[in-house]
Amino acid sequence: MVHMSSLGTPKRHPESGIFWFRKRVPDRLKDLVGKSEVKHSLRTRDLAIARIRALEIALKIERSWAQLADPSIQAMTAGKPSLPAPIPVPAIAEPIVEVTSATTVLSAELASPKAKLSLRSVFKSYSAEAQLAPATVKRWTPVIERLIDHLGRDEASSISRADIVSWKDALLSGGMSNVTIRDVYLAATKATLQFAVDQDLLGGNPAAGVRVRVKETLRERDKGFSGEEARTILAATLRPPSDKISIEMAAARRWIPWICAYTGARVNEITPITGRDFFYRDGVQMLRIRAETNKTRKHREVPIHSHLVDQGLLKFAKSRGSRPLFYDPRRSRG
């Protein structure tokens, strides 16, 4: 009889969030199994599903080990250090249900044992599951294409560490900055290949540990503005705007520096706000900074300084209603 405590518990990967099954091989079977531990990606972030799949794998493993423990099998392998090949970890019985077209394409591609693991498909699957920002997808897609061009093939499983190092050296020789290679090209490659590892599609990440040295930038002053610089910027916002720019652009130049100065918010957190993001709470006028525009992905609310009220910010916000204060969606280029 198999005890539940011996079946192993799903463990969540600290970076991807994907659950993994891991189980120690009994000492008496290590030579026969060919390893001291078995592990397998459960291909889900849902704990309930992970437990079911872990149970299925654990039961199959227990049956395999029970057969190995059979005296007749051990007699056949007597005097041999191990079986000719390690006992493989059983695959998940039922197919993984993908939630996006990109991951469906990847699953279909891998259905045939002769199919190659496409780097493009891995990236599409990764960007869909990780819900990468559109700007990130736009920036990283050419990176993957450039790597494929360098390799001369679209096959993730054939990429070696030497390939990644060679590609890095080629980018450096082409004049690309070390910072761009580190923060964009290697970052995109490492993340994509690590996703394939987490999905149990690759045995290891060939880009892991590949680095490009970046010279420390000389900083001869603090990041913040001096008092004189701040006064120059804020004074410039009060100048009459050009009649050649839109109402929204004029408003952005007029108000965004002041709002950032009084709230400590980033520019990209302020540019999307609408008239509805201003509200009262306990008699205090507040500004809502939404999670989707926040670098930390956390919603927060900040009080509006009385000087902003005196300058007429609330009147302008009210005039915009539910529309964005600083851009017109109708002029979007997509």
Side-chain angles (χ1 to χ4, degrees):
M1 178 178 179
V2 178
H3 296 283
M4 291 301 294
S5 59
S6 67
L7 296 181
T9 303
K11 300 294 184 183
R12 188 187 296 272
H13 190 281
E15 296 181 0
S16 69
I18 299 291
F19 280 100
W20 280 71
F21 172 89
R22 301 182 67 176
K23 185 170 176 61
R24 187 179 66 82
V25 178
D27 293 339
R28 70 182 188 281
L29 298 177
K30 285 182 180 179
D31 289 341
L32 296 174
V33 175
K35 58 181 72 176
S36 60
E37 182 186 54
V38 293
K39 58 182 180 179
H40 193 76
S41 171
L42 298 175
R43 303 186 183 185
T44 183
R45 290 187 175 89
D46 188 302
L47 179 57
I49 296 175
R51 285 173 173 165
I52 294 173
R53 291 174 179 168
L55 180 61
E56 293 175 350
I57 292 176
L59 290 174
K60 289 184 178 181
I61 289 175
E62 291 289 344
R63 292 193 193 100
S64 298
W65 290 352
Q67 292 174 358
L68 285 178
D70 187 287
S72 61
I73 295 180
Q74 293 194 9
M76 289 190 296
T77 60
K80 298 179 182 180
S82 63
L83 291 177
I87 300 299
V89 177
I92 297 173
E94 57 184 285
I96 305 300
V97 179
E98 303 292 354
V99 296
T100 67
S101 58
T103 48
T104 302
V105 169
L106 181 59
S107 296
E109 177 185 319
L110 297 174
S112 171
K114 296 182 180 179
K116 297 180 180 179
L117 179 59
S118 166
L119 186 59
R120 288 190 183 96
S121 296
V122 171
F123 177 68
K124 289 180 181 178
S125 180
Y126 164 59
S127 60
E129 182 172 316
Q131 298 180 6
L132 297 181
T136 302
V137 175
K138 182 178 180 180
R139 185 69 180 94
W140 283 11
T141 298
V143 173
I144 301 301
E145 292 298 327
R146 191 159 180 173
L147 174 57
I148 292 172
D149 289 342
H150 173 81
L151 297 172
R153 61 187 185 279
D154 180 14
E155 187 177 353
S157 57
S158 69
I159 300 175
S160 67
R161 180 182 176 85
D163 289 329
I164 302 299
V165 173
S166 171
W167 185 48
K168 178 201 72 171
D169 292 341
L171 295 174
L172 288 170
S173 299
M176 185 175 293
S177 73
N178 296 40
V179 173
T180 300
I181 296 173
R182 181 192 66 184
D183 296 346
V184 180
Y185 282 71
L186 286 181
T189 303
K190 289 178 181 179
T192 301
L193 293 175
Q194 187 57 47
F195 174 79
V197 174
D198 295 339
Q199 296 298 103
D200 206 27
L201 303 175
L202 288 180
N205 186 344
V210 177
R211 295 181 177 86
V212 59
R213 272 62 181 176
V214 177
K215 185 178 180 180
E216 184 96 14
T217 303
L218 292 177
R219 289 187 180 178
E220 299 179 350
R221 55 163 291 167
D222 294 334
K223 283 186 176 182
F225 296 117
S226 66
E228 182 179 353
E229 290 168 337
R231 283 190 293 272
T232 299
I233 294 170
L234 296 177
T237 68
L238 303 178
R239 297 173 186 168
S242 168
D243 58 2
K244 296 181 180 180
I245 63 175
S246 67
I247 295 174
E248 293 80 15
M249 178 61 73
R253 295 183 179 185
R254 171 66 180 86
W255 293 111
I256 289 178
W258 284 98
I259 297 174
C260 290
Y262 276 121
T263 64
R266 298 175 179 87
V267 170
N268 65 312
E269 293 177 329
I270 299 303
T271 50
I273 62 175
T274 71
R276 291 180 177 177
D277 291 319
F278 293 83
F279 63 99
Y280 278 99
R281 171 164 296 169
D282 299 329
V284 178
Q285 183 67 52
M286 306 287 289
L287 170 63
R288 180 184 299 107
I289 298 178
R290 286 168 277 154
E292 62 267 25
T293 64
N294 193 329
K295 184 176 181 180
T296 62
R297 311 298 291 175
K298 294 181 180 178
H299 161 95
R300 74 178 190 272
E301 298 168 353
V302 294
I304 301 296
H305 195 281
S306 59
H307 189 205
L308 293 176
V309 178
D310 294 341
Q311 292 186 66
L313 175 60
L314 298 185
K315 291 180 181 178
F316 171 67
K318 185 176 181 181
S319 72
R320 299 293 293 179
S322 61
R323 293 176 296 164
L325 270 61
F326 305 124
Y327 70 95
D328 186 348
R330 294 174 298 179
R331 291 199 292 272
S332 170
R333 291 176 293 179

